[in-house]
Amino acid sequence: MKTAVMVASASRHQQDDEFICEQEREILTRLATGLELSPDQLQTIESEAADEIKEHPNLWQVLFSLFGNRFDFPVLG
């Protein structure tokens, strides 16, 4: 869910005041409902995502930090 929040926040325009735009918010709400997350849990996840984005402002850096180790190949000798 945190990755979905991070991706959704990356789609907003710089001039937007909201962390997540209205259309993305609707999608995330449906996902949270499907995952049976409480509003408090969703708020916690969004806060964690916002903090991580501050550490890794580039979306590719965020995705690599989450999934990069799955693409490492063994060193060929």
Side-chain angles (χ1 to χ4, degrees):
M1 182 71 191
K2 184 167 73 169
T3 303
V5 170
M6 294 167 81
V7 171
S9 71
S11 69
R12 71 184 179 98
H13 299 286
Q14 292 289 32
Q15 69 271 19
D16 290 346
D17 291 332
E18 296 296 320
F19 180 60
I20 299 171
C21 70
E22 185 177 325
Q23 295 85 2
E24 298 285 351
R25 169 72 55 208
E26 291 174 20
I27 294 168
L28 290 174
T29 300
R30 287 188 290 179
L31 178 59
T33 300
L35 295 172
E36 299 178 354
L37 298 174
S38 71
D40 289 339
Q41 289 173 310
L42 183 57
Q43 181 60 40
T44 299
I45 291 168
E46 288 182 11
S47 295
E48 290 173 0
D51 290 343
E52 191 158 339
I53 285 176
K54 288 177 187 173
E55 292 176 27
H56 306 282
N58 182 315
L59 178 60
W60 294 114
Q61 289 174 332
V62 172
L63 293 175
F64 186 78
S65 72
L66 294 171
F67 303 111
N69 62 342
R70 297 172 192 218
F71 302 109
D72 289 343
F73 296 100
V75 177
L76 300 175

